[in-house]
Amino acid sequence: MALTKLVQEFLPAHGFPPGRNAVTLTTDDSDRATDALVDLTPIPSDLTTLYWVISDASLPDVDSGYFIHSPATAAEQFREYGPAPIEGEWTAIVFASGGGGCLFAIGDSGQVWKSTTASWFDDYELVAASLQEFLEHLSRRIADQP
């Protein structure tokens, strides 16, 4: 509902049309990709639960942009780069990114971290105690967007 409102009010508020803001529900392919990601590495149950509901999200017009990666993309990046290097987290999986190039990772603790630069290998700072808190913050950002 809030995403629909954002898209409808975007042109009058900004003077140009919105990008493609969408949340894609899970499919058989994304379910298989989630299974493959779980087989690849232990992932927090909250991330698995998210991927059983949505495949990905593209929100380019929320702040500087938020993009929840598909499970296939998360697995591909994990294979290529390994876990995000976050001290105290045994395995941290990058599952999202921001329009400025920052990365969001969820650690085995369930906490969500944001890269301080547009690099896989730089420092990460804590942004949410859980995936639910991260998604609630994102939901508020969508609702508050002019």
Side-chain angles (χ1 to χ4, degrees):
M1 186 74 119
L3 190 55
T4 301
K5 181 181 176 210
L6 168 100
V7 171
Q8 290 172 342
E9 295 177 356
F10 193 87
L11 179 62
H14 298 282
F16 58 92
R20 181 184 169 274
N21 292 273
V23 176
T24 307
L25 297 178
T26 189
T27 64
D28 289 342
D29 286 342
S30 66
D31 285 347
R32 283 189 289 280
T34 299
D35 289 341
L37 181 59
V38 169
D39 288 344
L40 180 63
T41 186
I43 68 172
S45 61
D46 286 352
L47 185 59
T48 306
T49 301
L50 175 71
Y51 281 148
W52 289 126
V53 178
I54 71 164
S55 172
D56 60 69
S58 175
L59 306 167
D61 298 315
V62 178
D63 295 332
S64 64
Y66 286 91
F67 306 91
I68 297 177
H69 304 169
S70 70
T73 298
E76 179 183 317
Q77 291 173 335
F78 189 85
R79 279 194 232 37
E80 186 170 344
Y81 302 110
I86 300 170
E87 189 172 331
E89 298 282 6
W90 182 72
T91 302
I93 299 168
V94 171
F95 72 96
S97 57
C102 65
L103 303 170
F104 295 95
I106 185 168
D108 52 297
S109 68
Q111 296 176 312
V112 177
W113 303 81
K114 178 182 176 184
S115 64
T116 57
T117 65
S119 171
W120 196 276
F121 302 105
D122 268 340
D123 292 331
Y124 286 75
E125 60 188 11
L126 184 65
V127 294
S130 66
L131 184 58
Q132 179 177 343
E133 183 179 296
F134 174 81
L135 295 172
E136 287 171 352
H137 169 78
L138 184 55
S139 177
R140 284 190 302 276
R141 298 302 307 147
I142 292 168
D144 294 343
Q145 193 78 20

